[in-house]
Amino acid sequence: MTDNLNINAKPRSKIKDVWDQFKSHKGALLGAIIFFSIVLLVMVGPFIWPFDANQIDIRSRNQGPSLLHPFGTDQLGRDTLARMMAGGRTSIAVGLAAMALSLFFGSFIGVTAGFYKRLDGVLMRFTDLFLSLPLLPLLLVMMLLFREPLSEAYGPERGMFVLIVVSIGITSWMPTARIVRADVLALKEREFVLAAKASGTSDTFIILRHIMPNVLSPIMVSATLGIANGIITESALSFLGLGFPPDFPTWGRLLNDAVDYLQQFPERVFWPGLAISLTVLSINYLGDGLRDALDPRMRKR
Amino acid sequence: MLTYIARRLLISIPTLIFISLVIFLLLNLAPNDPMAQVPLTVPPEVKQKMREALGLGQPLYVQFLKWLIQLFWIEPQVFIDYMFNTSFSEGKLRVISWQTRSPVMDIIVQRMPQTLWVVGMSYVVGILIAIPIGIYSAYKQYSVFDQVGTFVTMIGYSVPPFFTGVFVIVIFSVQLGWLPSIYDTTHTVVDWETFKIQLKQMVMPVMVLALQTTAMINRFMRATMLDNLNQDYVRTARAKGLSEWTVVMIHVLRNSMIPVITVIALNVPAIFGGAIITEQVFKVNGIGQQLIGAIYANDLPTVQTITFMFAVLIVLFNLLADIIYGILDPRIRYD
């Protein structure tokens, strides 16, 4: 058997292994391409597109799709494509920021609970308690209660952004914390951590240098699901009319506005709904592929 | 088994108290004034009196205790009175809505059947669709059926109910005109014709919610079936010469159902959460719409009570899932 081992083979890096496995999952690859195209479109689009999202042109209101306005215009003559891109910017920004916050809380609590045995019981009970909170009603209540003080402090748009991101962040960290804790518990008993401990390395350094890189893969998978969750929650809040102010487009807000014109212009609900669904679908496929790619057992050597 | 159930029951009491504290503090520490709607001509002394009548002048812990007593002591008494025609609760102060000035629980009891009817029906439909599809996809892994099933599941997972709901309204109500877009709760079924109308108005909300359930349970069913199909006991059963139907539908299915049943129990509260949005889309005047209405109207007692009831549902079904798991799988009880 040793003859078959090619000693001169190039050393394979982990990143290349992961990429090779990821490529073999067609849905994940397509999901990644679609997601990054959407992100690119909403980031760069507003600079290229001649219409502004809030530019009112009352004479060309309620138009159907045309060359000038590919997605038509709304009841105030604002270009729907421009509003879609502006809305996507906000929705995706909320998704990313909420994901970052929830990952931070989740990994912090997960690593602390896994690494320090004394804190484990308390922190996990705390996580369980959070898991039994009714999240959507609480989010709605938070929107109701803190909207005005934050709007006064940071301005209506930024205040709402902070509020939505923070509320989603503090209500979605629990699954990450549980997964990370389980991984840390297993890692803690491994030889390299024991060796680091024996040689007198400080706890902080062990966590940062030895534990964190090894729990990165579950964290990355949670990250993709976190973006999807953030986008859906923000859209749901905006759809219920408890999100961003009415003149500030997000995908959920656009969908909510379109519902008022359901009888006359039914096609209007289509674009924002499609954008939300396509983004979330591509992220979910991306997450699926990432999970397979980062799992060494799935990787063919 | 009894000690196991007792232990689980005891854990859920502090959980409930913690949740009620969170809900209470969140609502009471936030700045807002229930007297904001009262006309400015009312003198400040009278406003102060009205505040005290609502129990707002007292320290926070007194308010919290009073709320707990109302919720856990007086409301059950009202319920017992109603059931057995007794008079335990006479003259006792119940949780009063600021919006309608009537007891919150009475409104919830009025709204509950609509929610239960739509939500419960969608859950049953979703499960009935998901389980056979999950079994067959796992049995024929990577077949065309499996691929399509996985894709539909992914869509059910990713497309939010506020889009599927609006989308089916556009197609079936606006374009085709087959189904009503608004759910009429005053409609009563007396004969075949009214039954058909009831069926028509229920199809869309039920199917929209059922898509979510199907996606979730189908995915899980397929995964556990796959886990079990590769086990040794399946090979043994086949080697004994049992028919394929017996192997899959009796041996494998029974073992796979254990985790699936707990997932079904665990997700009941999540479905109620999803119903908030679906009720809003189809204008079902259930408990979710009551919550949204109360939030818009700044009606704190109603918001507190409904949110707390959602929490009770979660704790209750977590408990139920644990107990079912313990009954079905003896290995769980003995740890």
Side-chain angles (χ1 to χ4, degrees), chain A residues 155-301:
Chain A
E157 280 116 40
R158 197 170 304 166
M160 213 54 216
F161 185 84
V162 171
L163 174 56
I164 290 184
V165 165
V166 171
S167 347
I168 298 176
I170 58 173
T171 50
S172 64
W173 53 268
M174 294 80 78
T176 317
R178 281 191 158 181
I179 301 167
V180 168
R181 169 184 170 266
D183 271 30
V184 172
L185 277 182
L187 275 173
K188 207 172 61 173
E189 304 302 322
R190 295 271 291 276
E191 283 80 0
F192 64 93
V193 177
L194 293 179
K197 221 174 233 174
S199 58
T201 318
S202 73
D203 283 353
T204 329
F205 194 78
I206 292 180
I207 289 174
L208 289 179
R209 185 73 190 82
H210 298 290
I211 305 267
M212 282 311 272
N214 282 299
V215 292
L216 214 56
S217 44
I219 291 182
M220 275 171 73
V221 175
S222 312
T224 57
L225 299 179
I227 302 175
N229 176 47
I231 291 176
I232 286 208
T233 314
E234 186 274 322
S235 309
L237 292 175
S238 297
F239 180 78
L240 291 173
L242 286 159
F244 283 95
D247 55 341
F248 191 70
T250 74
W251 285 338
R253 189 79 229 178
L254 291 175
L255 189 61
N256 188 18
D257 292 345
V259 169
D260 295 341
Y261 295 89
L262 204 58
Q263 291 287 342
Q264 300 98 316
F265 308 105
E267 72 281 355
R268 233 176 242 176
V269 296
F270 190 66
W271 297 113
L274 187 74
I276 298 169
S277 311
L278 199 63
T279 312
V280 173
L281 192 67
S282 63
I283 293 173
N284 279 345
Y285 265 108
L286 179 67
D288 240 26
L290 211 57
R291 189 198 332 257
D292 288 355
L294 290 169
D295 186 353
R297 282 167 299 179
M298 291 287 292
R299 229 179 284 147
K300 291 170 232 79
R301 291 270 162 188

Side-chain angles (χ1 to χ4, degrees), chain B residues 75 94-97 100-108 290:
Chain B
E75 292 298 337
R94 300 180 63 187
V95 185
I96 302 289
S97 158
T100 61
R101 313 282 158 182
S102 63
V104 175
M105 273 296 172
D106 290 359
I107 310 173
I108 291 178
Q290 189 191 358

Side-chain angles (χ1 to χ4, degrees), chain A residues 129 132-134 136 138 140-141 144-145 232 235-236 239-241 255 262 266 269-270 273 277 280-281 284-285 288, chain B residues 15 18-19 26-27 30 32 151 154 158-159 162-163 166 169-170 175 219 273 280-281 295-296 303 307 310 314:
Chain A
L129 286 177
S132 38
L133 288 173
L136 188 60
L138 275 187
L140 294 175
V141 169
L144 164 77
L145 296 175
I232 286 208
S235 309
F239 180 78
L240 291 173
L255 189 61
L262 204 58
V269 296
F270 190 66
S277 311
V280 173
L281 192 67
N284 279 345
Y285 265 108
D288 240 26
Chain B
T15 313
F18 168 79
I19 293 170
L26 190 62
L27 283 169
N32 68 34
F151 183 67
M154 222 28 165
S158 310
V159 183
F162 47 85
F163 181 48
V166 172
I169 287 182
V170 168
Q175 302 287 0
R219 198 176 182 170
Q280 202 67 15
V281 173
I295 284 176
Y296 279 130
V303 176
T307 316
F310 277 112
I314 296 177

